[in-house]
Amino acid sequence: MSDIEPHDYDGICTVCGWAGWFVSLHIAIRETYPCHNCRASLRFRVQAEAILRFYKDMQARTIKELAAIPDFKRLRIFEPGISGPFRALFGGLPHYTKSFYWSDLKSGELRDGVVNEDLMNLSIPSGTVDLMISSDVFEHIRHPDRGIAESARILRSGGAHIFTVPTHVPIRETTLKRVDVDGPQDLPIMEPRYHGDGRGGRSLVYNDFGRDILDRLAIAGFEASIHRHMTEEPIVCDAIAFVAVKLAGTSARR
């Protein structure tokens, strides 16, 4: 195939199961190589791999298959955000909840049928969630350690928060703080950076996370690890997801 670029690769989408060539569109590696069928980018497929590995006893090969398994359907799943390929597959599950954040609403209130959740102060009862999924969300939390603590609070023991933030191998060692949040106002330390919020707006990036996010997760009561993309293609195998499993005995703090 003469039109295949050196780093395009042949594979199977771990979200929907489509098989074919994943083609670089010459933008950020994590955000390219879209699936021809479900349009899941590389970072979502890596996250899907991490979810499938965590639930390996269910023997699903794709997220689409996993969503059809009765034992998985019984799980309580929380996914902050309103865009991304998982929502189409999980949206019909009986215990799946998505959310958005509007600063003028309280956590738990509804707008346009979507629940509002401040990830630093969730309305979800403690110890009730089996799986939390977040995709490039925590870099937008003003005080991320509060968000990490809240994710630990709502998860049951043995439950997992499987997430991505904008990083890849090699990972910087120390988180880079982009905004001073010690006072009531955001004070930029670096040139402000924004990402899309899924509704046509934009969200400020507060931190560029480093490997020390694993330490922050451990402090909150998680056993945390990094999942790398399972492929032999050197460039794309640098994409990663984080798997944080709540340890038994972790107190549910408010």
Side-chain angles (χ1 to χ4, degrees), residues 12-202:
I12 298 174
C13 178
T14 48
V15 176
C16 71
W18 176 82
W21 283 91
F22 294 101
V23 178
S24 171
L25 301 180
H26 307 290
I27 56 177
I29 292 295
R30 298 171 67 254
E31 304 296 347
T32 190
Y33 296 103
C35 169
H36 184 73
N37 179 52
C38 71
R39 309 309 297 172
S41 64
L42 178 61
R43 71 174 162 97
F44 286 112
R45 295 200 306 278
V46 175
Q47 191 173 18
E49 286 178 359
I51 295 169
L52 293 168
R53 175 171 285 187
F54 185 72
Y55 292 105
K56 61 179 183 292
D57 290 347
M58 296 189 185
Q59 299 183 342
R61 295 169 296 178
T62 66
I63 294 296
K64 183 177 181 179
E65 288 183 7
L66 188 65
I69 294 174
D71 283 347
F72 189 80
K73 288 182 177 181
R74 285 190 279 270
L75 299 180
R76 295 192 176 276
I77 303 169
F78 172 53
E79 185 177 12
I82 57 173
S83 61
F86 301 136
R87 290 169 178 82
L89 299 173
F90 291 160
L93 300 183
H95 308 298
Y96 170 81
T97 301
K98 65 181 180 180
S99 72
F100 195 73
Y101 175 60
W102 291 277
S103 60
D104 61 324
L105 296 182
K106 295 180 180 179
S107 285
E109 294 182 340
L110 294 176
R111 174 169 287 164
D112 300 328
V114 178
V115 66
N116 183 66
E117 290 290 359
D118 177 353
L119 292 178
M120 297 185 294
N121 186 27
L122 294 166
S123 69
I124 300 169
S126 300
T128 58
V129 173
D130 296 288
L131 174 64
M132 178 173 172
I133 305 167
S134 65
S135 306
D136 284 20
V137 170
F138 267 61
E139 70 271 21
H140 303 297
I141 300 179
R142 196 167 191 263
H143 297 284
D145 289 334
R146 296 182 192 174
I148 290 171
E150 277 289 85
S151 65
R153 180 185 66 79
I154 68 171
L155 284 166
R156 65 168 181 80
S157 294
H161 179 197
I162 299 178
F163 67 97
T164 64
V165 290
T167 190
H168 54 81
V169 177
I171 309 172
R172 69 170 66 246
E173 288 301 315
T174 305
T175 294
L176 185 64
K177 189 175 181 180
R178 303 187 63 89
V179 182
D180 182 351
V181 295
D182 292 338
Q185 302 295 324
D186 292 342
L187 300 176
I189 299 171
M190 306 175 64
E191 183 72 22
R193 179 183 297 164
Y194 296 88
H195 295 160
D197 66 0
R199 292 179 65 90
R202 60 181 193 168

